[in-house]
Amino acid sequence: MSATAPSSSHETARGSLACVGMGMTLGSHLTPLARDHIEQADVVFAALSDHLVELWLQRMNADVRSLQPYYAEGKSRLKTYREWVDLILTEVRAGKRVCAVFYGHPGIFAWSPHKAIEIARAEGFQAHMEPGISAEDCLYADVGIDPGRFGCQHFEASQLLFYEHRINPAGYVVLWQTALVGDWSLTRFETGPAYRQVLVDRLARDYPLDHEVIVYHGATLPIEQARIRKVKLRDLPEISLASEDTVVLPPALALKPDLAMRERLAELDKATGFA
C-alpha cells in the first residue's frame, strides 16, 4: 500500500482574501466584480462610512462583520487598523474566502487592506485588491477639475507639515484629512483652529492669504448632494470642518514655459524628421 504525504492545513482548506471598494455613494458605485467577491465570500468584513451602508451590504451576504466597533476615543487608529488585519487574516488562515469591504477605494488612505494583502501573499494565500470609486474621483467630477490640465498634487495635510514637501502653486493641490492636521498620536478625530492656522502659515509661503480655496464634501447617500464651499485661505482655521472634508487649492500662478526644454525638443523633432 502506497503512503500519501499528509496535506498541510493550507492545502486542505485554502483561504483567500479580496479587498474591495464600495465606492462613495451607496448603491451606485459598487462594481460587478466587487459585488461578486462579496456574494461569494464565506466571511465579509466591513469598514464603511455609514450604518445604512452596512445594512445594505448585509443583503448580499449573511455573514457581515462590522469593523467600526474597534475604533475608540483616545485609541490609536493604527492599533485599530492592526486589529482589523489580525481579524481578517485569522479567517483567511482558517481556509475561508474572505472579502474585506472599504468605503471608496480600498487602497486610498487605507492602511489595513494593503497590509492584509501583503501578509496574506507572503504566507502563500491568494490575495487581491479590487478598486472602487474614491473621494478623489468624485471630487474631480463634482468640482470640475481635470488633473491633467495644470497638474495636481495630493498631500495628507499633516504630512505637509511633518515633512519638507515642495508645493507647485501653478497646479492644483489637494489636502486630505485637514480636520486632523498636526495630530501625531492618531487618536484624535479633530485638532482644531490653532492647528489649522499652522497649516495656513505653511501654505502662505506659496499662496497669498486671500487666495480662494475649495472645501469639498462628497455625497455618501443617494439622497445627498456634494457640498462645495469657497473660502479665503486666511479663513480656513475658523470655518467648520469635518474629517471627511477635502481642501483644494486651485492654481495661484500661471504655468511658466521651460524654454530650454522646448528648444531641446524642437531640435529633437528636427533630427527625427518631425519638424
Side-chain angles (χ1 to χ4, degrees), residues 130-142:
E130 188 62 39
I133 294 177
S134 68
E136 177 186 346
D137 301 314
C138 296
L139 183 152
Y140 292 148
D142 293 333

Side-chain angles (χ1 to χ4, degrees), residues 18-97:
C19 292
V20 308
M22 180 67 82
M24 296 304 297
T25 304
L26 172 63
S28 60
H29 288 174
L30 185 66
T31 67
L33 282 174
R35 178 186 286 272
D36 186 63
H37 281 296
I38 294 168
E39 292 176 342
Q40 298 300 319
D42 299 314
V43 181
V44 175
F45 290 98
L48 301 173
S49 59
D50 192 284
H51 181 60
L52 290 176
V53 185
E54 287 188 4
L55 293 176
W56 185 75
L57 181 63
Q58 289 171 6
R59 298 180 182 180
M60 289 179 267
N61 193 294
D63 191 355
V64 173
R65 306 177 191 180
S66 177
L67 294 171
Q68 293 297 335
Y70 292 88
Y71 284 119
E73 191 70 32
K75 177 182 178 182
S76 170
R77 289 188 294 279
L78 184 56
K79 182 178 181 181
T80 296
Y81 300 152
R82 292 186 187 279
E83 290 173 345
W84 289 3
V85 171
D86 289 342
L87 289 165
I88 292 167
L89 290 176
T90 294
E91 298 299 331
V92 173
R93 292 166 183 147
K96 296 181 181 178
R97 291 173 298 177

Side-chain angles (χ1 to χ4, degrees), residues 88-256:
I88 292 167
L89 290 176
T90 294
E91 298 299 331
V92 173
R93 292 166 183 147
K96 296 181 181 178
R97 291 173 298 177
V98 178
C99 182
V101 187
F102 298 84
Y103 70 89
H105 188 300
I108 298 179
F109 283 92
W111 182 87
S112 300
H114 286 292
K115 194 64 179 179
I117 289 174
E118 175 190 338
I119 295 174
R121 288 175 175 172
E123 295 182 6
F125 296 103
Q126 181 181 354
H128 170 71
M129 180 177 287
E130 188 62 39
I133 294 177
S134 68
E136 177 186 346
D137 301 314
C138 296
L139 183 152
Y140 292 148
D142 293 333
V143 179
I145 291 175
D146 179 354
R149 185 179 180 191
F150 302 112
C152 188
Q153 293 177 288
H154 292 260
F155 298 102
E156 197 275 335
S158 290
Q159 190 186 76
L160 188 61
L161 301 185
F162 297 160
Y163 301 97
E164 295 183 358
H165 285 290
R166 290 185 178 181
I167 291 178
N168 176 18
Y172 288 100
V173 172
V174 181
L175 301 179
W176 301 93
Q177 300 181 338
T178 305
L180 308 176
V181 67
D183 177 28
W184 283 99
S185 68
L186 299 179
T187 62
R188 291 182 281 183
F189 294 94
E190 183 181 7
T191 48
Y195 288 83
R196 272 182 266 149
Q197 184 60 54
V198 177
L199 175 63
V200 169
D201 293 343
R202 166 63 185 87
L203 294 171
R205 300 178 192 172
D206 300 287
Y207 298 91
L209 288 174
D210 63 353
H211 187 63
E212 188 173 76
V213 304
I214 300 166
V215 180
Y216 171 76
H217 188 111
T220 58
L221 298 175
I223 59 173
E224 296 178 340
Q225 296 289 327
R227 298 196 295 275
I228 299 171
R229 292 177 285 166
K230 295 184 178 180
V231 299
K232 301 297 184 184
L233 177 59
R234 63 164 54 90
D235 297 328
L236 191 60
E238 305 306 324
I239 65 171
S240 61
L241 208 63
S243 59
E244 300 86 1
D245 287 337
T246 302
V247 174
V248 181
L249 291 97
L253 301 174
L255 291 172
K256 183 178 179 180

